[in-house]
Structure formats: structure tokens, C-alpha cells
């Protein structure tokens, strides 16, 4: 007996031939759908992490909001008390004296008048030719004294010196306009007067004059007394003359200078240092039950900035990575669910991209709107989540919408740091949408679903706020009503928004809703009207198949409405050449009798291509176009194949290949398209039965179904044998209803007419 291999050798041999699990895992990870899913999950995590960091850095309070939890400082920070600082600066600026500037123009005019008056005396021949400015006569003593002040026709230097000294003294008097004096007297303010010396070589100085030394220019007697005291530089004989010249045209010596006053007050305003408040860690910024005011808004902003600056860079990086990793785990769970239960989302990159944009876009919308309007955060956080659930329910199915919508509600609550009660509101809204939104047949379906989702969310929000232990801080009914109203509005608004978004969702996800199908099934549709007029036999044929296909689809739980609409449009390509199809010939001559089998084949097969082009021209959705291109699959055009075969045998040529006489396909890719293919073939064969009894119809249906099953036409349709059996029974029942037996009516004594002889096979061209 031969010796067996050693034990260790046998083990090595077994291990060498065993499949390696790592290789299987590696091959799975290398699949395109897994790679796309990984890419989309990564993008969702990165974008979600970014908006989460943004959300955490933004305030969550608004003006006049009452807080139900005290807000305390997390770190020490300093904040300027804007109100106190502004008050201190305004008080300091109010202390600034009002500034009056010397009336330089008046100074020059007065100096010129005194100069000219003396010069006039020098040219006068006698005292009779000279009068004072007030009209009074000039005394001889004054005239003689004035003559001494002139030399060679011009005033002497002594006169000029005396005039300069007098004007300097005069401008030390605060003669101001009456309304300015009264205003200052009313405020009891201190006035700063800037002295402009007549001699430009002298520097300007400032003298402070109290309100009690202001002289309104209209108080002439008081000012005249002051001028008399300032006339000391002149000889006694000349003082009345100078006094008369000055009082003749008295003007304010100082005018208010608003610009200088404003600059002085601004300097004092800016000179006050800001009043700084220091808040220690743990200090209360907003007390429990307090309303948020402008001061609290500023303090919270300062606290956030200080907290951000105090965090080490490594700590901040860890927070970002942790949030991103947490969102990545949720995204991985979502895509794992998709790969397991709805892999077509991942298999089609554009469909996966649309899904990722939907979930990511709604997350960004929830965060941005909640941050912008935090007092309505419950509305803006639940509305996008409900929209996600509604969209997925319309595009895919309810279970998928429930799973993804629930995870979306959790992500939104996590990013916005919402309490569990608010997260529960979103979950309930998703659950109601997934339960009710089975099929969108009318626009009211979406609004009705949103309404009931709003009711569920309103109840959850009201109960969640009613259970709050801090309810006593507010009015007892208002917070409950506000939360319930916001949640209810979110559901109702989502329903109305979805009404307008359905056409765009259909284009984005390449789906066709029941609402669109009902519109296409309307008999007034232009394309159906055209088919009824130009190809009435084909239109009647489509109606019979629509009834058969819809009933069969409903039997196995498929989309009956889709089958009906697909059946109505599957033969629209026959509109171009209706007379070449037997159902449109109306008993007339068969045009295929004069054509070769190959030419007839081109016409028969061409109706599929013509139908696709016509569908694109009329904008039919892709789901309906698939019925047009696949309603014959890759079946054999048997009649013309056998005709060609007989012709080649008669001409002693090689027989044609079956491949040449098959439809180009594709094969049906769905159960609905497979039902359509079977109904089309059965209906055409049933019309050729000479005596369509129930037994013959049942045998015909079974043979046609078995023939196409063996031909592989159902390989890609995901149709089980059990479902196929139920489809056969439904088609048989419908055909029996169409070809039911009829009673024979009496003909009034006339002999029975002979039964119509069925047309020979060569008169029946392919009708499908």
C-alpha cells in the first residue's frame, strides 16, 4: 500500500488550495461601486465636518431671546462696556467749551475806518467840513488834536501804535451775536475765546471767558461803557472821536467756530479710555430666564473669540478630526446600507453623486439657516430633513427613505448640537413621510403627506418642550405653541416645496413618478392623439395590452401604472409607416406581399428605432423609452425568418442566420418591461386564434411565456418563476374577458350566415 504524505505536508497542501479571505475582501474593495461609495462618503464627511465647525463658531442666540439655561464664561475674557464707555465719553465731550474765533474781517474794517477818518481830517480845510460818524459836530479841541496825528498827509506812527493797542484791548472784549450769547447763557457754559492780535507777529493765545463776560452786540450802552475804559492809549481829546467811529458800525468781535468746537469735543471724546470689564471663568454672562440684549450679544461674541484663541492648535485639530470621523462613520453606514439594499445608487456614479448632493446640500441648508435664524432653528433643522425623506421616497422606495432620512436627522442634530427632543421631532417627520408617501399620483399627495408629517412633528415638539424642567421660566403656553408651530410648519412647507421640485427631481435622478405617468396616460396627450388618428389599429392594440399589462403587474406587486403607460407608448414607432402593420390595414392589401423578407424585416424592426426617436422628440421619460426599445427584446421575427428560409431553399441558397432576423434589443431590464414583452406577444398570437376558447387561450399564454423564458428574454428582468406563473394567470383572465363567448341572436327567419374564414398566415404580418 502506498504511503500517505506526512501530516505537515498535507496541511500545507490544503492551505495552499484554500481560498484566501483577504483576496476576496480586496477584490470587493476594488469594485467600482465600492470605490464610488467611499468617495461620496468621504466628501460627505469632509463637508459635514466643515459646516459643523462653522456651526460651533457661530452664536446660537438672538436679540430678545429668553434663555432656559444659564450661559457662563468658559474662559477668562475682557470686554469693553460699550454703554458705559459711550456715556463717559459723551459726558467728557459735553464739558468742552464752545470756541469763538476773532472776527478778523471786522478787525481789518475797523482799522481801515480809523485810518481813513484821520486821513480825512488832514485834507479838510476847516472844522466846518468835518462831522463825526454819528452826525455830531467835531469839537475844535478834537479837530486840533487830530491834526497833530497827521504828518505829510498820512497818520503818524504814534496814531498807528495807539490804534493797534486800542484794537487789541477791544478784541479782549467778548462781543458776540445776540442769539449765541443767549444760548450760552441758557446752558451756563464756559466759552473759550481765541484772541487774534492786530499785529500778525504776535502769537495767538486763548483766553477763557465765562458766560458772565459775554457782551451781546445789541447791548450798545453796556458795550460803550466797556469801550470807554479801553480808550486809554489815545489822548483825552481823541477818545470821543474814536468811540464815535467804533459805535457807528458795531459788530461782534468774535464769531462761533463750529469746526473748532467739534474738533475740541472729538478730542476730548477720544481721550477717554474704554471701560473694560473682566469676566472670570464661570462668571454668568446671561442669567437663567434672562432675555438676550445687545450687551449680552457682544459679551457672547467676545467669549467665543477668547475661547477659540485659548484653545491649543492641537486641541482644535483633534476636535475637527473627531467630528469628521464621527460623520464619516455615519456616512459609511449609509453607503453600506445602500450597497446592501439599493446597489444601483452606487453602481451609477451620477446617481450616487445626486444622492450625495441631496444629503450634503440639505445638511448645509439646515446649518446655515439655523445659524442665521436661531430663534427658528427647529423649523430650519427639520425642514431639510423632511425634504430628504420625501425625495428618496419619491425616487426610490419607502424603506430606503426611512433609513437615510433617519440618519440625516441624526447628523443634523449632531452638527447643530440639538437636544434629543429636537432630534426626535425630525425622526418622527421622517417616519410619517416613509409611511405615507407610497406613490405620488397627484400633487395633493405631497401636501397631504407634509400635513400629516407636520402634525406628528408638532405633537413631538410640543410634548418635548412641555417636558422641559425649565418651563416655569417662560410663559407656560407660548414656548410649547411656538415649538409645535415651527415643527408643524416644517412639514407643511416641505409638502408645498416638493410640489415644485418633483419635475427637477425626476430629471436629476432619472425617475418617473406616478404623477407624471398619469399625465402621460391622459388620452388628450398629443402623441396618443396622433397615434389614434394615424394608426388607429395600433392604438386599439395598445389599449388592450395596457389593460393586460396593468392587471398582470398588480398581481405580482409591480408598478401597474408604469406598465399601462409603457404599453400605451410602446408602438408609437408604427406611426411613421402604419399601413405596413396588419392591425392598421383594415382588411386591405398586405403591402409586405410585394416586398422581400429582408425588406419587410427592416420595416418591422425599424418601428422600434422610430419609436425611440419619436420618444426623444416628445420628451418621454427614460422609463417609458425602455418599454419602447425592449418590448420585443431580442426575439426572432419568425414570420419573415421562415419566409426568407423558404425563399433560399427554393433558390437553393444557404439558409439565413437566425441572428439576422432578431430584434436588436435590449432585453427587458425590469419586471414591468418583461410583462410588457409577454403581453405584446400573447396579444398578437391571440388575435390569430380561430376559436379563442379559454383552454386554447391558457395554452397559448403558457406556450408564449415558456418560449420567451427559454429564449432568455427574462434573464435581466429579475422575474421569478412564481411571479411568471401569476402573470400568465392574469393575462389568461384578461384575454378570456376580451374573447368571451357571445350568444347568437335570431336573424328574423334568414339562414345563418357562414362564419368568417380566418385569413391565411401569409396575410398576417407581424403586428407587434
Amino acid at each position: 500500500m502506498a504511503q500517505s504524505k506526512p501530516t505537515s505536508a498535507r496541511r500545507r497542501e490544503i492551505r495552499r488550495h484554500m481560498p484566501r479571505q483577504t483576496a476576496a475582501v480586496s477584490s470587493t474593495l476594488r469594485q467600482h461601486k465600492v470605490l464610488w461609495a467611499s468617495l461620496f462618503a468621504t466628501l460627505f464627511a469632509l463637508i459635514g465636518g466643515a459646516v459643523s465647525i462653522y456651526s460651533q463658531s457661530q452664536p446660537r442666540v438672538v436679540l430678545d431671546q429668553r434663555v432656559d439655561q444659564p450661559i457662563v464664561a468658559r474662559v477668562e475674557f475682557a470686554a469693553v462696556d460699550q454703554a458705559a464707555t459711550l456715556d463717559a465719553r459723551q459726558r467728557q465731550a459735553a464739558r468742552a467749551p464752545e470756541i469763538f474765533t476773532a472776527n478778523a474781517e471786522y478787525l481789518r474794517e475797523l482799522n481801515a475806518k480809523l485810518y481813513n477818518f484821520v486821513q480825512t481830517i488832514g485834507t479838510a480845510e476847516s472844522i466846518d467840513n468835518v462831522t463825526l460818524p454819528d452826525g455830531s459836530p467835531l469839537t475844535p479841541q478834537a479837530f486840533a488834536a487830530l491834526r497833530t496825528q497827521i504828518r505829510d498827509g498820512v497818520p503818524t506812527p504814534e496814531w498807528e501804535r495807539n490804534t493797534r493797542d486800542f484794537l487789541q484791548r477791544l478784541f479782549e472784549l467778548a462781543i458776540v451775536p445776540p442769539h449765541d450769547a443767549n444760548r450760552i447763557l441758557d446752558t451756563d457754559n464756559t466759552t473759550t475765546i481765541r484772541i487774534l492780535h492786530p499785529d500778525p507777529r504776535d502769537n495767538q493765545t486763548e483766553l477763557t471767558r465765562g458766560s458772565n463776560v459775554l457782551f451781546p452786540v445789541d447791548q450798545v450802552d453796556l458795550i460803550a461803557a466797556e469801550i470807554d475804559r479801553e480808550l486809554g492809549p489815545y489822548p483825552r481829546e481823541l477818545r470821543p472821536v474814536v468811540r464815535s467811529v467804533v459805535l457807528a458800525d458795531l459788530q461782534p468781535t468774535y464769531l462761533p467756530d463750529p469746526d473748532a468746537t467739534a474738533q475740541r469735543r472729538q478730542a476730548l471724546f477720544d481721550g477717554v479710555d474704554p471701560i473694560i470689564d473682566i469676566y472670570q471663568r464661570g462668571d454668568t454672562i446671561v442669567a437663567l430666564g434672562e432675555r438676550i440684549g445687545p450687551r449680552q450679544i457682544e459679551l457672547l461674541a467676545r467669549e467665543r473669540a477668547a475661547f477659540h484663541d485659548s484653545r491649543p492648535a492641537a486641541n482644535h485639530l483633534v476636535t475637527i478630526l473627531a467630528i469628521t470621523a464621527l460623520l464619516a462613520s455615519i456616512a459609511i453606514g449609509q453607503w453600506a446600507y445602500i450597497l446592501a439594499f439599493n446597489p444601483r445608487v452606487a453602481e451609477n456614479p451620477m446617481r450616487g453623486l445626486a444622492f450625495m448632493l441631496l444629503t450634503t446640500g440639505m445638511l448645509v441648508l439646515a446649518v446655515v439657516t439655523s445659524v442665521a435664524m436661531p430663534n427658528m432653528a427647529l423649523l430650519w433643522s427639520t425642514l431639510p430633513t423632511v425634504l430628504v425623506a420625501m425625495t428618496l421616497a419619491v425616487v426610490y422606495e419607502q424603506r430606503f427613505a426611512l433609513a437615510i432620512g433617519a440618519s440625516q436627522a441624526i447628523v443634523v442634530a449632531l452638527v447643530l448640537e440639538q437636544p434629543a427632543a429636537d432630534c426626535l421631532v425630525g425622526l418622527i417627520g421622517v417616519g410619517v413621510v416613509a409611511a405615507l408617501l407610497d406613490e405620488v399620483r397627484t400633487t395633493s399627495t405631497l401636501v397631504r403627506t407634509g400635513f400629516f408629517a407636520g402634525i406628528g412633528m408638532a405633537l413631538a415638539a410640543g410634548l418635548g418642550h412641555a417636558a422641559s424642567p425649565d418651563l416655569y421660566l417662560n410663559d407656560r403656553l407660548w414656548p410649547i405653541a411656538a415649538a409645535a408651530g415651527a415643527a408643524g410648519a416644517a412639514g407643511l412647507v416641505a409638502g408645498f416645496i416638493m410640489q415644485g421640485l418633483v419635475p427637477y427631481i425626476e430629471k436629476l435622478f432619472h425617475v418617473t413618478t406616478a404623477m407624471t405617468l398619469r399625465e402621460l396616460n391622459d388620452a388628450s396627450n398629443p402623441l396618443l392623439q396622433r397615434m389614434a388618428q394615424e394608426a388607429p389599429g395600433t392604438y386599439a392594440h395598445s389599449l388592450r395590452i395596457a389593460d393586460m399589462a396593468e392587471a398582470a403587474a398588480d398581481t405580482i406587486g409591480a408598478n401597474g401604472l408604469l406598465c399601462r403607460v409603457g404599453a400605451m407608448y410602446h408602438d408609437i414607432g408604427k406611426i411613421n409607416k402604419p399601413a405596413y402593420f396588419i392591425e392598421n390595414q383594415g382588411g386591405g392589401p398586405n403591402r409586405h406581399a410585394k416586398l422581400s423578407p429582408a425588406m419587410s424585416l427592416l420595416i418591422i424592426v425599424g418601428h422600434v428605432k422610430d419609436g425611440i426617436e419619436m420618444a426623444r422628440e416628445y420628451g418621454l421619460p427614460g422609463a417609458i423609452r425602455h418599454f419602447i426599445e425592449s418590448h420585443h427584446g431580442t426575439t426572432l421575427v419568425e414570420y419573415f425568418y421562415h419566409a426568407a428560409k423558404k425563399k433560399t431553399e427554393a433558390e437553393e441558397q444557404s439558409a439565413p442566420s437566425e441572428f439576422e432576423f432578431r430584434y436588436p434589443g435590449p432585453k427587458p431590464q425590469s419586471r414591468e418591461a418583461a410583462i410588457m414583452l409577454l403581453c405584446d406577444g400573447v396579444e398578437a398570437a391571440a388575435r390569430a386564434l380561430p376559436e379563442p376558447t379559454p383552454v386554447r387561450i391558457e395554452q397559448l399564454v403558457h406556450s408564449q411565456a415558456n418560449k420567451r423564458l427559454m429564449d432568455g428574454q427574462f434573464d435581466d428582468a429579475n422575474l421569478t418563476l412564481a411571479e411568471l406563473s401569476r402573470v400568465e394567470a392574469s393575462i389568461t383572465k384578461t384575454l378570456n374577458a376580451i374573447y368571451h363567448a357571445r350568444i347568437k341572436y335570431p336573424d328574423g327567419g334568414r339562414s345563418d350566415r357562414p362564419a368568417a374564414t380566418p385569413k391565411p398566415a401569409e396575410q398576417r404580418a407581424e403586428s407587434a
Side-chain angles (χ1 to χ4, degrees), residues 739-756:
Y739 298 105
H740 63 275
R742 294 173 176 84
I743 63 173
K744 183 180 176 74
Y745 289 94
D747 57 0
R750 290 175 293 180
S751 60
D752 295 341
R753 297 177 181 177

Side-chain angles (χ1 to χ4, degrees), residues 586-727:
N590 188 352
R591 298 198 176 190
H592 290 279
K594 298 181 180 181
L595 300 178
S596 65
M599 182 60 67
S600 296
L601 174 70
L602 292 177
I603 296 174
I604 295 299
V605 175
H607 85 278
V608 176
K609 180 181 178 182
D610 293 342
I612 293 297
E613 293 177 354
M614 195 172 295
R616 290 195 178 97
E617 178 185 351
Y618 280 83
L620 295 182
I624 305 303
R625 293 202 300 267
H626 179 61
F627 281 87
I628 298 173
E629 65 186 2
S630 68
H631 74 276
H632 286 297
T634 58
T635 57
L636 179 67
V637 187
E638 295 184 14
Y639 178 81
F640 293 109
Y641 170 70
H642 291 298
K645 191 174 181 181
K646 288 181 181 180
K647 183 178 180 181
T648 55
E649 289 176 355
E651 297 175 355
E652 297 182 354
Q653 297 179 359
S654 59
S657 172
E658 276 194 13
F659 177 77
E660 299 175 1
F661 283 80
R662 284 186 177 272
Y663 283 95
K667 297 178 181 180
Q669 303 295 311
S670 64
R671 295 187 300 172
E672 291 81 6
I675 293 172
M676 173 68 238
L677 182 145
L678 180 57
C679 290
D680 188 45
V682 168
E683 197 276 339
R687 281 189 283 115
L689 282 176
E691 294 182 7
T693 63
V695 175
R696 288 186 177 182
I697 290 176
E698 183 178 2
Q699 292 175 348
L700 174 67
V701 172
H702 180 70
S703 63
Q704 291 289 328
N706 190 59
K707 182 179 180 180
R708 281 156 177 74
L709 178 64
M710 294 298 101
D711 197 25
Q713 300 303 316
F714 303 144
D715 291 350
D716 302 331
N718 194 25
L719 186 68
T720 65
L721 292 176
E723 291 174 340
L724 181 60
S725 177
R726 294 200 296 272
V727 168

